[in-house]
Amino acid sequence: VLHTCQHFQPWVDGPHTEVLETLIERREEIKVKTGDMTMASINDRTIMAIPQVVQMCRERAQQLTMRVTDER
């Protein structure tokens, strides 16, 4: 599962972990307030995709760091 939008291009230093934490918190809040798992799980695909985005950004950041180091 990559990001849910095929045109999504994450910022390497974007706040992806914070977004993930917020979505998980909101999911739990909706579940507690409504008891409706259909509504609570509406962002589950995004929640599952964010860790992959985080990993891709880490790998890209390492590549960029290596490139800068090699150019010196």
Side-chain angles (χ1 to χ4, degrees):
V1 180
L2 284 176
H3 206 275
T4 58
C5 174
Q6 67 182 17
H7 302 290
F8 180 70
Q9 295 182 18
W11 295 334
V12 172
D13 61 349
H16 310 294
T17 302
E18 290 85 354
V19 170
L20 176 60
E21 291 168 0
T22 299
L23 287 175
I24 291 170
E25 288 170 7
R26 287 185 183 165
R27 182 185 196 280
E28 191 59 28
E29 288 170 7
I30 292 169
K31 185 175 93 175
V32 168
K33 287 180 183 177
T34 68
D36 186 343
M37 282 309 297
T38 300
M39 289 303 296
S41 64
I42 200 156
N43 288 315
D44 280 1
R45 287 184 63 217
T46 301
I47 289 170
M48 292 186 323
I50 293 175
Q52 292 176 343
V53 169
V54 169
Q55 182 59 37
M56 288 171 33
C57 288
R58 283 185 186 138
E59 291 170 5
R60 182 65 179 143
Q62 289 174 347
Q63 291 171 352
L64 293 172
T65 300
M66 285 184 210
R67 181 183 294 170
V68 170
T69 303
D70 290 344
E71 290 175 357
R72 290 183 183 178

PDB file of all heavy atoms in Angstrom, residues 22-32 37 39-44 47:
ATOM      1  N   THR A  22      -1.692  11.909  14.618  1.00  0.00           N
ATOM      2  CA  THR A  22      -2.961  12.639  14.663  1.00  0.00           C
ATOM      3  C   THR A  22      -4.099  11.797  14.106  1.00  0.00           C
ATOM      4  O   THR A  22      -5.184  11.739  14.689  1.00  0.00           O
ATOM      5  CB  THR A  22      -2.845  13.961  13.886  1.00  0.00           C
ATOM      6  OG1 THR A  22      -1.840  14.772  14.503  1.00  0.00           O
ATOM      7  CG2 THR A  22      -4.164  14.721  13.872  1.00  0.00           C
ATOM      8  N   LEU A  23      -3.862  11.130  12.983  1.00  0.00           N
ATOM      9  CA  LEU A  23      -4.907  10.292  12.391  1.00  0.00           C
ATOM     10  C   LEU A  23      -5.289   9.140  13.309  1.00  0.00           C
ATOM     11  O   LEU A  23      -6.476   8.802  13.429  1.00  0.00           O
ATOM     12  CB  LEU A  23      -4.461   9.760  11.034  1.00  0.00           C
ATOM     13  CG  LEU A  23      -4.421  10.773   9.894  1.00  0.00           C
ATOM     14  CD1 LEU A  23      -3.835  10.140   8.642  1.00  0.00           C
ATOM     15  CD2 LEU A  23      -5.809  11.336   9.613  1.00  0.00           C
ATOM     16  N   ILE A  24      -4.306   8.541  13.952  1.00  0.00           N
ATOM     17  CA  ILE A  24      -4.590   7.443  14.878  1.00  0.00           C
ATOM     18  C   ILE A  24      -5.388   7.952  16.077  1.00  0.00           C
ATOM     19  O   ILE A  24      -6.353   7.320  16.511  1.00  0.00           O
ATOM     20  CB  ILE A  24      -3.290   6.746  15.314  1.00  0.00           C
ATOM     21  CG1 ILE A  24      -2.681   5.988  14.126  1.00  0.00           C
ATOM     22  CG2 ILE A  24      -3.541   5.803  16.496  1.00  0.00           C
ATOM     23  CD1 ILE A  24      -1.290   5.456  14.366  1.00  0.00           C
ATOM     24  N   GLU A  25      -5.011   9.125  16.594  1.00  0.00           N
ATOM     25  CA  GLU A  25      -5.756   9.709  17.722  1.00  0.00           C
ATOM     26  C   GLU A  25      -7.197  10.017  17.320  1.00  0.00           C
ATOM     27  O   GLU A  25      -8.131   9.723  18.071  1.00  0.00           O
ATOM     28  CB  GLU A  25      -5.067  10.983  18.201  1.00  0.00           C
ATOM     29  CG  GLU A  25      -3.763  10.736  18.936  1.00  0.00           C
ATOM     30  CD  GLU A  25      -2.984  12.017  19.189  1.00  0.00           C
ATOM     31  OE1 GLU A  25      -3.509  13.129  18.906  1.00  0.00           O
ATOM     32  OE2 GLU A  25      -1.837  11.919  19.652  1.00  0.00           O
ATOM     33  N   ARG A  26      -7.371  10.601  16.145  1.00  0.00           N
ATOM     34  CA  ARG A  26      -8.726  10.933  15.684  1.00  0.00           C
ATOM     35  C   ARG A  26      -9.559   9.688  15.469  1.00  0.00           C
ATOM     36  O   ARG A  26     -10.757   9.669  15.755  1.00  0.00           O
ATOM     37  CB  ARG A  26      -8.663  11.757  14.396  1.00  0.00           C
ATOM     38  CG  ARG A  26      -8.205  13.159  14.637  1.00  0.00           C
ATOM     39  CD  ARG A  26      -8.274  13.979  13.392  1.00  0.00           C
ATOM     40  NE  ARG A  26      -7.757  15.320  13.637  1.00  0.00           N
ATOM     41  CZ  ARG A  26      -7.424  16.171  12.695  1.00  0.00           C
ATOM     42  NH1 ARG A  26      -7.549  15.830  11.431  1.00  0.00           N
ATOM     43  NH2 ARG A  26      -6.963  17.356  13.002  1.00  0.00           N
ATOM     44  N   ARG A  27      -8.916   8.639  14.947  1.00  0.00           N
ATOM     45  CA  ARG A  27      -9.618   7.368  14.733  1.00  0.00           C
ATOM     46  C   ARG A  27     -10.172   6.861  16.064  1.00  0.00           C
ATOM     47  O   ARG A  27     -11.330   6.452  16.163  1.00  0.00           O
ATOM     48  CB  ARG A  27      -8.657   6.340  14.136  1.00  0.00           C
ATOM     49  CG  ARG A  27      -9.289   5.004  13.834  1.00  0.00           C
ATOM     50  CD  ARG A  27      -8.208   4.027  13.364  1.00  0.00           C
ATOM     51  NE  ARG A  27      -8.737   2.866  12.704  1.00  0.00           N
ATOM     52  CZ  ARG A  27      -9.249   1.812  13.306  1.00  0.00           C
ATOM     53  NH1 ARG A  27      -9.308   1.768  14.639  1.00  0.00           N
ATOM     54  NH2 ARG A  27      -9.713   0.792  12.612  1.00  0.00           N
ATOM     55  N   GLU A  28      -9.344   6.895  17.073  1.00  0.00           N
ATOM     56  CA  GLU A  28      -9.764   6.414  18.395  1.00  0.00           C
ATOM     57  C   GLU A  28     -10.873   7.297  18.967  1.00  0.00           C
ATOM     58  O   GLU A  28     -11.842   6.788  19.547  1.00  0.00           O
ATOM     59  CB  GLU A  28      -8.570   6.358  19.346  1.00  0.00           C
ATOM     60  CG  GLU A  28      -8.838   5.646  20.640  1.00  0.00           C
ATOM     61  CD  GLU A  28      -9.268   4.194  20.475  1.00  0.00           C
ATOM     62  OE1 GLU A  28      -8.892   3.545  19.487  1.00  0.00           O
ATOM     63  OE2 GLU A  28     -10.013   3.706  21.351  1.00  0.00           O
ATOM     64  N   GLU A  29     -10.732   8.609  18.808  1.00  0.00           N
ATOM     65  CA  GLU A  29     -11.762   9.531  19.305  1.00  0.00           C
ATOM     66  C   GLU A  29     -13.109   9.257  18.649  1.00  0.00           C
ATOM     67  O   GLU A  29     -14.142   9.224  19.329  1.00  0.00           O
ATOM     68  CB  GLU A  29     -11.347  10.977  19.038  1.00  0.00           C
ATOM     69  CG  GLU A  29     -10.218  11.475  19.903  1.00  0.00           C
ATOM     70  CD  GLU A  29      -9.686  12.831  19.443  1.00  0.00           C
ATOM     71  OE1 GLU A  29     -10.280  13.455  18.528  1.00  0.00           O
ATOM     72  OE2 GLU A  29      -8.669  13.265  19.999  1.00  0.00           O
ATOM     73  N   ILE A  30     -13.097   9.070  17.337  1.00  0.00           N
ATOM     74  CA  ILE A  30     -14.346   8.800  16.616  1.00  0.00           C
ATOM     75  C   ILE A  30     -14.945   7.476  17.079  1.00  0.00           C
ATOM     76  O   ILE A  30     -16.159   7.369  17.287  1.00  0.00           O
ATOM     77  CB  ILE A  30     -14.108   8.803  15.091  1.00  0.00           C
ATOM     78  CG1 ILE A  30     -13.768  10.216  14.619  1.00  0.00           C
ATOM     79  CG2 ILE A  30     -15.316   8.266  14.346  1.00  0.00           C
ATOM     80  CD1 ILE A  30     -13.250  10.294  13.195  1.00  0.00           C
ATOM     81  N   LYS A  31     -14.083   6.480  17.267  1.00  0.00           N
ATOM     82  CA  LYS A  31     -14.560   5.164  17.717  1.00  0.00           C
ATOM     83  C   LYS A  31     -15.223   5.275  19.089  1.00  0.00           C
ATOM     84  O   LYS A  31     -16.306   4.737  19.313  1.00  0.00           O
ATOM     85  CB  LYS A  31     -13.397   4.175  17.761  1.00  0.00           C
ATOM     86  CG  LYS A  31     -13.812   2.759  18.106  1.00  0.00           C
ATOM     87  CD  LYS A  31     -12.634   1.813  18.013  1.00  0.00           C
ATOM     88  CE  LYS A  31     -11.979   1.691  19.362  1.00  0.00           C
ATOM     89  NZ  LYS A  31     -10.896   0.710  19.414  1.00  0.00           N
ATOM     90  N   VAL A  32     -14.580   6.008  19.991  1.00  0.00           N
ATOM     91  CA  VAL A  32     -15.112   6.155  21.352  1.00  0.00           C
ATOM     92  C   VAL A  32     -16.408   6.962  21.336  1.00  0.00           C
ATOM     93  O   VAL A  32     -17.389   6.595  21.982  1.00  0.00           O
ATOM     94  CB  VAL A  32     -14.062   6.812  22.276  1.00  0.00           C
ATOM     95  CG1 VAL A  32     -14.678   7.238  23.594  1.00  0.00           C
ATOM     96  CG2 VAL A  32     -12.894   5.858  22.497  1.00  0.00           C
ATOM     97  N   MET A  37     -17.418   1.850  13.781  1.00  0.00           N
ATOM     98  CA  MET A  37     -16.110   1.494  13.210  1.00  0.00           C
ATOM     99  C   MET A  37     -16.003   1.862  11.732  1.00  0.00           C
ATOM    100  O   MET A  37     -14.913   2.093  11.233  1.00  0.00           O
ATOM    101  CB  MET A  37     -15.832  -0.002  13.394  1.00  0.00           C
ATOM    102  CG  MET A  37     -15.390  -0.346  14.800  1.00  0.00           C
ATOM    103  SD  MET A  37     -14.001   0.684  15.404  1.00  0.00           S
ATOM    104  CE  MET A  37     -12.713   0.232  14.252  1.00  0.00           C
ATOM    105  N   MET A  39     -17.089   4.652  10.383  1.00  0.00           N
ATOM    106  CA  MET A  39     -16.641   6.051  10.396  1.00  0.00           C
ATOM    107  C   MET A  39     -15.228   6.154  10.961  1.00  0.00           C
ATOM    108  O   MET A  39     -14.401   6.899  10.447  1.00  0.00           O
ATOM    109  CB  MET A  39     -17.598   6.926  11.207  1.00  0.00           C
ATOM    110  CG  MET A  39     -18.925   7.141  10.538  1.00  0.00           C
ATOM    111  SD  MET A  39     -18.792   7.865   8.882  1.00  0.00           S
ATOM    112  CE  MET A  39     -18.084   9.449   9.249  1.00  0.00           C
ATOM    113  N   ALA A  40     -14.943   5.414  12.006  1.00  0.00           N
ATOM    114  CA  ALA A  40     -13.631   5.485  12.644  1.00  0.00           C
ATOM    115  C   ALA A  40     -12.521   5.009  11.705  1.00  0.00           C
ATOM    116  O   ALA A  40     -11.392   5.487  11.780  1.00  0.00           O
ATOM    117  CB  ALA A  40     -13.620   4.660  13.929  1.00  0.00           C
ATOM    118  N   SER A  41     -12.847   4.099  10.820  1.00  0.00           N
ATOM    119  CA  SER A  41     -11.819   3.517   9.959  1.00  0.00           C
ATOM    120  C   SER A  41     -11.696   4.196   8.598  1.00  0.00           C
ATOM    121  O   SER A  41     -10.988   3.700   7.727  1.00  0.00           O
ATOM    122  CB  SER A  41     -12.092   2.030   9.771  1.00  0.00           C
ATOM    123  OG  SER A  41     -13.313   1.838   9.097  1.00  0.00           O
ATOM    124  N   ILE A  42     -12.327   5.328   8.441  1.00  0.00           N
ATOM    125  CA  ILE A  42     -12.347   5.986   7.137  1.00  0.00           C
ATOM    126  C   ILE A  42     -10.942   6.349   6.629  1.00  0.00           C
ATOM    127  O   ILE A  42     -10.694   6.364   5.430  1.00  0.00           O
ATOM    128  CB  ILE A  42     -13.283   7.217   7.149  1.00  0.00           C
ATOM    129  CG1 ILE A  42     -13.671   7.573   5.740  1.00  0.00           C
ATOM    130  CG2 ILE A  42     -12.665   8.390   7.897  1.00  0.00           C
ATOM    131  CD1 ILE A  42     -14.966   8.323   5.640  1.00  0.00           C
ATOM    132  N   ASN A  43     -10.006   6.610   7.520  1.00  0.00           N
ATOM    133  CA  ASN A  43      -8.639   6.965   7.113  1.00  0.00           C
ATOM    134  C   ASN A  43      -7.648   5.813   7.255  1.00  0.00           C
ATOM    135  O   ASN A  43      -6.434   6.028   7.200  1.00  0.00           O
ATOM    136  CB  ASN A  43      -8.143   8.170   7.926  1.00  0.00           C
ATOM    137  CG  ASN A  43      -8.826   9.446   7.501  1.00  0.00           C
ATOM    138  OD1 ASN A  43      -8.976   9.725   6.327  1.00  0.00           O
ATOM    139  ND2 ASN A  43      -9.265  10.219   8.486  1.00  0.00           N
ATOM    140  N   ASP A  44      -8.141   4.601   7.405  1.00  0.00           N
ATOM    141  CA  ASP A  44      -7.243   3.465   7.630  1.00  0.00           C
ATOM    142  C   ASP A  44      -6.249   3.240   6.485  1.00  0.00           C
ATOM    143  O   ASP A  44      -5.096   2.892   6.725  1.00  0.00           O
ATOM    144  CB  ASP A  44      -8.033   2.188   7.897  1.00  0.00           C
ATOM    145  CG  ASP A  44      -8.537   2.115   9.328  1.00  0.00           C
ATOM    146  OD1 ASP A  44      -8.297   3.065  10.107  1.00  0.00           O
ATOM    147  OD2 ASP A  44      -9.179   1.103   9.660  1.00  0.00           O
ATOM    148  N   ILE A  47      -3.586   5.692   7.042  1.00  0.00           N
ATOM    149  CA  ILE A  47      -2.820   5.296   8.231  1.00  0.00           C
ATOM    150  C   ILE A  47      -1.847   4.181   7.875  1.00  0.00           C
ATOM    151  O   ILE A  47      -0.694   4.179   8.318  1.00  0.00           O
ATOM    152  CB  ILE A  47      -3.770   4.886   9.381  1.00  0.00           C
ATOM    153  CG1 ILE A  47      -4.476   6.124   9.942  1.00  0.00           C
ATOM    154  CG2 ILE A  47      -3.027   4.138  10.482  1.00  0.00           C
ATOM    155  CD1 ILE A  47      -5.613   5.831  10.902  1.00  0.00           C
TER     156      ILE A  47
END
